[in-house]
């Protein structure tokens, strides 16, 4: 395909600028390097705030989850009963705002503000992240020769195609928003499907005690399990162990030779004393090398994943049953079968506070009340039933005991409190380690598709699990993204007292880098194996699966027209932080009717970076063809990378086999030497 760099920009007559506008219709001037504004002034900002407040007090639901802790967007439409006018304050509504109520406009403004904040957070990542993929997310191109595509969709939105996306759900606020939105949809479908079948679901929250001295990595290892090492790290550890073994064998052989030489050289009657002295002299060296071998073996052992308290919940004979012939019927069945456990969906969240620092915790939706047949991928549900109260109580008690005991074995200070002294707490005095809440269904008999799964206090379990990107922590705590946004504010010159959150810049940076090290390579949302196919949900929980979700989101809509941008042009725009402004400039519904207007708006943004000539107008077919070429090129690179990883794994396996063969040879030689000494 011809590179857009090789084609000069189309020269068009530029109409009046149609840049970002306030909900009142007033154009908003963007200042390069600054966060794009949402409102034209304080008057409109306060008007939108009052409109949203009126909607809340008159029965509207702004999507609050908990007490000042979480905000979720909900698709509501205000009516005349809300007591608010459909015309915004501040003047005549523009074409974009015509027919929208103040509540709808306020929600749109909130959405734009959140989007602007996420893009600003990603720009902060470019500067501070230790993750290479995060540093290039949204600014590096899949195919520099083809460039980037700013395309307008049939719905009037805009997407940027051809950008590298990091798919780091823990670190990137832009990627995380898309991934978590899709994951929340999957979880909702799964829970609703199971409840419609007549099954039972519980929202279980798992926490550990902690204080300011605890490292996040240690807490995560305790509750979620440690991470497996990379093939290169495993190979390195195995090599070190083999070298330590060989060194110990050489040291022991040298010690035996020295003892034998001492025996030969000693006069008659003093041979035993000479041998003992030689062995004592060699003992220190042998002990030192043996300690090195023990250390190498410990390092190798750490390369394998170590189970955490979460994994212990669903292992063991009490849970899974004792399959031995001598076991009783009750023991053979196990708690899992008695409650009809079919699987769960687990999500891990982290907050950081000023007092006790890191607070990782797990939310899990556990699906019970089903009997299954088949193994692995062929497993399917054959019966649904209501678990008895005694069985549910047994399950709850078992999980509390296992969770508490494993954390205590890992570190006694992690043990949750056995009893709760907090007044009116919902744990019923059972402590804060494990909390159970049953999910109920509110079904409209006339519209079966509108089943809504809720917890006892009205929270959405799917949002509780998946939408960690929309949550805000309490008064003395921050979510990682809030900390990232504060870092961006502080590095941008905002005073500490004026920036949301807490902590100095140095403190926030240290915590963020610790967070990256501790959470890299961990799954944020994970389904029990084979649960998805049992409920008819397609997908996977890996980073590759997250990347596929991002690609599907980009290609989900029908593309109208758009523009192509060279890699040089996109680099110039991202350098000045105008990536969001360029994306918003392509929004609208005029790509087919007035493509020159779209191109002009985008060129105006690129002109701020001195790169207006790097923009070329495209029609819908050219957008589709260019995107197909980008995907084809990217697929080829992914295949090459997969083949390279396969070769590395095969080489590691061959080295492992060689190490094992060498170990067997050493053991055989050692046995033969022992047998020879015994024979003499």
């Amino acid at each position: 395909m011809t590179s857009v760099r090789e084609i000069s920009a189309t020269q068009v007559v530029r109409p009046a600028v149609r840049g970002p506008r306030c909900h009142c219709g007033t154009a908003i001037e963007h200042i390069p390097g600054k966060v794009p504004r949402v409102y034209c002034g304080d008057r409109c900002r306060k008007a939108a705030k009052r409109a949203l407040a009126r909607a809340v007090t008159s029965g509207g639901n702004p999507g609050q989850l908990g007490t000042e802790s979480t905000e979720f967007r909900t698709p509501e439409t205000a009516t005349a009963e809300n007591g608010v006018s459909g015309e915004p304050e501040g003047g005549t509504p523009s074409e974009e705002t015509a027919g929208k109520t103040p509540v709808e406009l306020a929600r749109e403004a909130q959405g734009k503000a959140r989007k602007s904040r996420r893009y600003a957070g990603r720009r902060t990542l470019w500067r501070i992240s230790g993750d290479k993929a995060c540093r290039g997310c949204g600014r590096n191109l899949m195919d520099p020769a083809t460039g980037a595509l700013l395309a307008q969709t049939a719905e009037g939105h805009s997407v940027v195609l051809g950008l590298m996306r990091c798919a780091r759900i823990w670190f990137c606020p832009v990627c995380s928003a898309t991934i978590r939105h899709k994951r929340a949809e999957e979880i909702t479908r799964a829970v609703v499907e199971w409840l419609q079948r007549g099954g039972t679901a519980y929202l279980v929250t798992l926490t550990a005690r902690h204080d300011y001295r605890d490292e996040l990595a240690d807490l995560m290892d305790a509750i979620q399990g440690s991470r497996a090492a990379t093939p290169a790290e495993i190979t390195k550890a195995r090599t070190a162990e083999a070298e330590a073994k060989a060194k110990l064998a050489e040291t022991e052989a040298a010690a035996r030779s020295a003892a034998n030489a001492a025996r030969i050289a000693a006069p008659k009657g003093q041979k035993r004393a000479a041998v003992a002295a030689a062995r004592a002299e060699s003992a220190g060296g042998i002990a030192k090398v043996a300690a090195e071998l023990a250390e190498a073996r410990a390092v190798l052992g750490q390369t394998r994943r170590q189970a955490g308290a979460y994994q212990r919940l669903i292992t063991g004979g009490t849970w899974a049953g004792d399959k031995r012939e001598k076991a009783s019927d009750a023991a053979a069945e196990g708690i899992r079968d008695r409650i009809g456990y079919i699987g769960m969906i687990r999500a891990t969240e982290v907050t950081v506070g000023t007092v006790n620092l890191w607070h990782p915790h797990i939310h899990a939706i556990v699906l019970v009340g089903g009997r299954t047949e088949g193994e692995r991928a062929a497993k399917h549900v054959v019966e649904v039933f209501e678990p008895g109260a005694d069985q549910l109580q047994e399950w709850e008690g078992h999980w509390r005991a296992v969770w508490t005991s494993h954390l205590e074995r890992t570190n006694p200070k992690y043990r949750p409190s056995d009893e709760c002294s907090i007044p009116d707490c919902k744990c019923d005095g059972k402590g804060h380690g494990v909390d159970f809440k049953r999910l109920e269904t509110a079904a409209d008999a006339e519209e079966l598709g509108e089943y809504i799964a809720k917890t006892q206090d009205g929270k959405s379990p799917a949002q509780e699990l998946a939408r960690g990107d929309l949550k805000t922590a309490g008064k003395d705590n921050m979510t990682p993204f809030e900390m990232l946004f504060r870092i961006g504010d502080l590095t941008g010159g905002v005073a500490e007292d004026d920036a949301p959150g807490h902590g100095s810049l140095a403190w926030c940076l240290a915590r963020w880098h610790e967070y990256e090290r501790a959470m890299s390579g961990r799954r944020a949302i994970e389904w029990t194996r084979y649960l998805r196919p049992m409920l008819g949900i397609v997908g996977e929980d890996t980073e590759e699966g997250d990347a596929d979700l991002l690609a599907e989101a980009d290609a989900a809509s029908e593309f109208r027209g758009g523009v192509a941008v060279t890699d040089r042009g996109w680099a110039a725009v991202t350098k000045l932080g105008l990536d969001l402004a360029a994306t918003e400039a392509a929004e609208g519904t005029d790509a087919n009717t007035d493509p020159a207007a779209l191109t002009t708006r985008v060129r105006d943004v690129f002109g701020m970076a001195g790169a207006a000539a790097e923009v070329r107008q495209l029609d819908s077919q050219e957008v589709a063809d260019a995107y197909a070429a980008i995907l084809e090129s990217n697929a080829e690179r992914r295949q090459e990378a997969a083949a390279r990883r396969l070769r590395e794994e095969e080489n590691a396996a061959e080295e492992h086999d060689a190490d094992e063969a060498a170990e067997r040879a050493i053991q055989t030689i050692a046995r033969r030497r022992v047998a020879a000494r015994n024979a003499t």
Side-chain angles (χ1 to χ4, degrees):
M1 178 180 176
T2 304
S3 169
V4 297
R5 178 184 289 172
E6 299 172 2
I7 303 176
S8 61
T10 304
Q11 299 299 322
V12 295
V13 178
R14 299 184 178 182
V17 176
R18 292 185 57 197
R21 292 179 179 273
C22 178
H23 67 77
C24 69
T26 304
I28 299 176
E29 180 182 359
H30 174 71
I31 301 176
K34 299 291 185 181
V35 177
R37 292 188 299 160
V38 177
Y39 303 103
C40 62
D42 290 338
R43 181 182 179 185
C44 285
R45 182 184 298 105
K46 293 177 180 178
K49 187 176 181 179
R50 288 196 301 271
L52 186 60
R54 287 196 296 268
V56 174
T57 57
S58 60
N61 177 13
Q64 292 293 330
L65 173 58
T67 305
E68 298 181 358
S69 61
T70 308
E71 181 183 27
F72 296 130
R73 291 167 289 185
T74 54
E76 292 188 32
T77 303
T79 64
E81 297 177 357
N82 295 122
V84 293
S85 171
E87 185 171 327
E89 299 183 38
T92 304
S94 65
E95 179 183 347
E96 291 82 359
T97 62
K100 296 182 181 179
T101 67
V103 174
E104 293 173 318
L105 294 172
R107 293 196 183 285
E108 286 185 3
Q110 281 187 337
K112 288 184 177 180
R114 283 194 293 264
K115 183 176 182 180
S116 176
R117 197 66 164 154
R118 289 195 294 265
Y119 272 71
R122 186 171 69 177
R123 289 193 291 272
T124 302
L125 271 186
W126 295 347
R127 302 193 306 270
I128 71 168
S129 179
D131 188 297
K132 182 178 179 181
C134 288
R135 294 197 301 271
C137 181
R139 61 175 180 174
N140 291 346
L141 304 183
M142 292 182 180
D143 186 357
T146 303
L149 305 174
L150 272 164
Q152 193 178 98
T153 67
E155 296 82 8
H157 305 303
S158 64
V159 293
V160 186
L161 307 174
L163 300 181
M164 297 296 292
R165 304 289 295 275
C166 67
R168 298 293 195 263
I169 190 172
W170 291 114
F171 310 138
C172 178
V174 176
C175 291
S176 179
T178 302
I179 295 170
R180 288 183 180 274
H181 175 71
K182 297 296 183 181
R183 296 300 186 203
E185 290 179 345
E186 292 177 345
I187 295 169
T188 299
R189 291 201 306 272
V191 176
V192 169
E193 170 65 21
W194 183 239
L195 294 174
Q196 284 181 335
R197 293 188 192 183
T200 306
Y202 281 83
L203 177 63
V204 182
T205 303
L206 306 160
T207 59
R209 180 179 287 177
H210 58 93
D211 61 33
Y212 68 94
R213 293 166 293 186
D214 296 317
E215 297 284 342
L216 178 58
D218 295 337
L219 287 166
M220 288 302 303
D221 287 347
I223 68 173
Q224 199 191 70
S226 63
R227 293 161 295 185
T230 63
E233 292 171 336
I234 295 174
T235 300
K236 182 179 179 180
R238 285 173 175 163
T239 302
E241 184 200 29
E243 291 175 351
K245 285 180 180 179
K247 186 176 180 180
L248 179 60
E250 292 175 0
T251 304
E252 289 176 340
R256 288 194 296 271
S257 299
N260 188 46
R263 181 181 62 81
I264 295 173
K268 189 174 182 181
Q270 298 180 10
K271 293 186 180 295
R272 288 187 178 181
V275 170
R279 287 176 177 173
E281 185 179 352
S282 303
I286 294 175
K288 180 180 179 180
V289 177
E292 293 176 357
L293 175 59
E295 183 179 355
R297 283 175 171 167
V299 172
L300 179 59
Q302 292 172 358
T303 62
R304 305 181 185 94
R305 186 179 182 186
Q306 307 297 319
Y310 165 78
Q311 287 80 19
R312 298 299 182 188
L313 297 177
I314 50 177
T315 56
T318 304
W319 169 258
D322 190 344
K323 306 306 180 184
R324 294 177 297 182
E325 295 181 0
K326 296 181 180 180
S328 63
D329 293 341
E333 188 177 34
I335 296 174
R336 179 182 64 183
D337 296 330
R338 286 193 285 275
I339 64 172
Y341 170 84
I342 70 163
M344 65 175 148
I345 309 166
R346 181 215 74 196
T348 305
E349 293 181 7
V350 178
T351 59
V352 61
T354 55
V355 179
N356 291 323
L357 290 186
W358 299 109
H359 174 51
H361 51 284
I362 292 175
H363 295 297
I365 291 183
V366 187
L367 308 183
V368 298
R371 302 200 188 280
T372 61
E373 289 184 356
E375 297 293 335
R376 300 181 181 275
K379 194 174 184 179
H380 60 283
V381 179
V382 295
E383 180 187 352
V384 178
F385 67 96
E386 178 69 26
D390 293 341
Q391 286 76 26
L392 293 173
Q393 186 175 3
E394 179 189 20
W395 165 41
E396 183 174 339
H398 175 70
W399 271 24
R400 289 184 188 278
V402 171
W403 180 261
T404 300
S405 62
H406 181 79
L407 289 178
E408 186 175 26
R409 284 197 305 271
T410 303
N411 190 330
K413 63 188 290 188
Y414 294 163
R415 177 187 173 92
S417 57
D418 294 324
E419 297 180 357
C420 179
S421 59
I422 300 177
D424 302 323
C425 184
K426 297 180 180 181
C427 71
D428 299 326
K430 297 178 181 177
H432 288 278
V434 184
D435 179 52
F436 286 78
K437 292 179 182 178
R438 178 163 176 164
L439 308 181
E440 304 290 349
T441 58
D444 185 343
E446 297 180 357
E447 297 183 13
L448 295 178
E450 301 214 354
Y451 274 72
I452 301 177
K454 294 183 177 180
T455 59
Q456 294 171 349
D457 55 357
K459 300 174 186 176
S460 163
Q463 299 283 25
E464 181 77 3
L465 256 70
R467 292 315 305 270
D469 60 308
L470 294 181
K471 294 188 177 183
T472 58
K475 181 179 179 181
D476 296 325
N477 293 280
M478 293 186 294
T479 65
F481 285 160
E482 287 178 312
M483 181 166 57
L484 177 66
F485 300 153
R486 180 174 174 83
I487 292 172
D489 291 338
L490 297 179
T491 55
V494 179
E496 286 190 12
D497 293 340
D498 296 334
H502 57 264
S504 66
L505 176 58
W507 185 89
C508 289
L509 284 170
R511 299 290 79 73
W512 178 265
H513 291 144
E514 180 185 355
Y515 171 72
E516 282 193 344
R517 292 191 300 269
M519 306 308 293
S520 179
R522 295 186 184 274
R523 293 187 185 181
I525 301 172
E526 186 175 15
W527 296 50
T528 302
R529 187 175 297 182
Y530 310 121
L531 177 60
R532 286 176 180 269
M534 280 194 287
L535 299 176
I537 306 296
V538 179
E540 56 178 308
D541 312 317
T542 62
E543 284 191 357
E544 290 78 7
D546 290 342
D548 290 340
L549 281 182
L550 293 174
E552 291 169 5
D554 287 341
S557 300
E558 176 187 353
F559 300 138
R560 294 297 174 88
V563 297
V565 182
T566 66
D567 60 335
R568 183 167 49 241
W570 189 252
V573 163
T574 55
K575 184 177 181 179
L576 293 182
L578 296 173
D579 48 320
L580 177 58
T583 305
E584 291 179 336
E587 293 178 350
T589 56
D590 55 354
N592 285 348
T593 58
D594 191 5
L598 182 153
T599 306
T600 298
R601 295 197 303 272
V602 176
R603 279 205 181 113
D604 286 334
V605 175
F606 277 76
M608 299 178 189
E614 306 296 328
V615 178
R616 178 173 64 92
Q617 185 173 308
L618 300 176
D619 59 29
S620 58
Q621 186 59 48
E622 288 174 323
V623 169
D625 292 343
Y627 188 44
I630 291 174
L631 293 180
E632 182 179 357
S633 175
N634 190 51
E636 292 177 358
R637 286 196 296 271
R638 291 182 65 176
Q639 290 177 354
E640 293 174 357
R644 184 172 60 254
R645 287 194 299 270
L646 180 60
R647 289 194 299 270
E648 291 175 353
E649 292 174 358
E650 290 175 348
N651 293 336
E654 292 176 358
E655 292 177 2
H656 175 59
D657 293 341
D659 292 342
E660 289 187 338
E663 173 63 19
R664 288 194 297 270
I666 292 173
Q667 292 176 353
T668 300
I669 294 173
R671 285 196 298 270
R672 288 176 179 174
R673 287 178 177 175
V674 171
R677 285 199 301 270
N678 293 337
T680 57

